[in-house]
Amino acid sequence: MSGHVLILGGTGEGRALAFALVESGQPPEVTSSLAGRVADPALPPGRVRVGGFGGVGGLARWLTEHAVDAVVDATHPFAATMSQHAAQACSRVGTPLLRLQRPGWSQAAGDVWHRLPTLAAAAGKLDALGRRAFLTIGRQEVAAFADVDAWCLVRAIEPPEPPLPRRCELLLARGPFDLPSERETLRQWQVDVLVSKDSGGEATAAKLTAARELHLPVVLVDRPPIPEGVPVVDTVEAALAWVAATLPAI
């Protein structure tokens, strides 16, 4: 096959897809786009661009100017704005688009989960469930918890921007996190409620197991919907098959 594939990345799935495409030698051009919100990100092989496109119009122009034949949206499951922009831009210029999104987490016996549709709803529920919360939602949306009464341990790769919870401690760390370390974190900080987005994947799943073992409630925020009409796969192998079927043959 020939052509140019744009991977909207920043996730492990996006990097794995870039590796697979580059190692196969087909297509001849692979570009991964990273949002640039994290310093020193893990870079995939092939061409890499960092930063936004300037909205739907900017992305549509980029696709045309760089002769992109297919786009794989492998952004984070909660990168709703980028996914919407990709759907609109690809529709505007007629570029095929695939969503590569890892499965969400499944509740197991012993889990005490409270699923909520938004971070605002999660913040509203928090004080009824505990007094010492472990926020594992990344740094960009911590402000949703600024008015909670609970003390919060906020874990993120980089410091979040204010406003922050009135009583909080920052824990700067990058995953993956194993089960022993997650058990120790919950015990050391006397956490009695865990807050997470339903990001899925193995890199941060150990916190849910640790919470289950300690009989702690978990506030789990549901994923935003995928743009209507966009096909979805949940494995790199399926994404590779879609690319092979979508791009023109040599």
Side-chain angles (χ1 to χ4, degrees), residues 70-103:
V71 177
V72 179
D73 175 12
T75 56
H76 191 275
F78 283 81
T81 298
M82 188 67 246
S83 292
Q84 290 289 344
H85 286 181
Q88 293 172 39
C90 287
S91 176
R92 182 178 298 183
V93 300
T95 303
L97 170 66
L98 177 74
R99 175 64 170 151
L100 169 57
Q101 180 170 275
R102 58 182 174 261

Side-chain angles (χ1 to χ4, degrees), residues 149-204:
D149 292 327
W151 175 90
C152 296
L153 177 64
V154 179
R155 183 165 72 190
I157 297 174
E158 297 177 0
E161 297 290 333
L164 302 179
R166 290 187 292 265
R167 298 186 299 134
C168 71
E169 184 83 22
L170 296 182
L171 179 60
L172 301 183
R174 185 192 298 265
F177 303 100
D178 61 24
L179 182 55
S181 66
E182 294 292 61
R183 286 194 196 106
E184 178 59 25
T185 296
L186 294 176
R187 288 171 174 153
Q188 175 185 347
W189 295 96
Q190 300 178 331
V191 170
D192 59 12
V193 57
L194 170 67
V195 182
S196 177
K197 299 175 181 177
D198 186 9
S199 299
E202 295 298 319
T204 58

Side-chain angles (χ1 to χ4, degrees), residues 15-243:
R15 287 191 296 275
L17 178 59
F19 270 107
L21 286 170
V22 169
E23 288 178 358
S24 72
Q26 297 176 335
E29 291 188 68
V30 178
T31 301
S32 295
S33 177
L34 309 181
R37 292 176 179 147
V38 176
D40 192 27
L43 298 179
R47 298 178 182 178
V48 177
R49 69 173 304 279
V50 178
F53 290 93
V56 175
L59 177 53
R61 285 191 298 275
W62 200 95
L63 295 176
T64 301
E65 292 170 359
H66 293 81
V68 174
D69 296 288
V71 177
V72 179
D73 175 12
T75 56
H76 191 275
F78 283 81
T81 298
M82 188 67 246
S83 292
Q84 290 289 344
H85 286 181
Q88 293 172 39
C90 287
S91 176
R92 182 178 298 183
V93 300
T95 303
L97 170 66
L98 177 74
R99 175 64 170 151
L100 169 57
Q101 180 170 275
R102 58 182 174 261
W105 289 312
S106 298
Q107 192 167 357
D111 284 328
V112 183
W113 286 5
H114 301 265
R115 281 193 172 273
L116 291 165
T118 65
L119 284 162
K125 180 77 171 178
L126 182 60
D127 287 328
L129 294 174
R131 300 176 62 186
R132 295 180 65 84
F134 185 21
L135 303 187
T136 61
I137 57 172
R139 68 183 179 90
Q140 295 183 59
E141 296 165 303
V142 175
F145 294 82
D147 295 327
V148 301
D149 292 327
W151 175 90
C152 296
L153 177 64
V154 179
R155 183 165 72 190
I157 297 174
E158 297 177 0
E161 297 290 333
L164 302 179
R166 290 187 292 265
R167 298 186 299 134
C168 71
E169 184 83 22
L170 296 182
L171 179 60
L172 301 183
R174 185 192 298 265
F177 303 100
D178 61 24
L179 182 55
S181 66
E182 294 292 61
R183 286 194 196 106
E184 178 59 25
T185 296
L186 294 176
R187 288 171 174 153
Q188 175 185 347
W189 295 96
Q190 300 178 331
V191 170
D192 59 12
V193 57
L194 170 67
V195 182
S196 177
K197 299 175 181 177
D198 186 9
S199 299
E202 295 298 319
T204 58
K207 62 190 174 186
L208 300 173
T209 303
R212 182 192 313 135
E213 291 178 351
L214 296 172
H215 309 291
L216 302 183
V218 176
V219 178
L220 198 64
V221 180
D222 289 328
R223 296 174 171 189
I226 294 168
E228 186 176 353
V230 177
V232 184
V233 297
D234 59 12
T235 66
V236 171
E237 292 75 18
L240 283 169
W242 179 87
V243 169

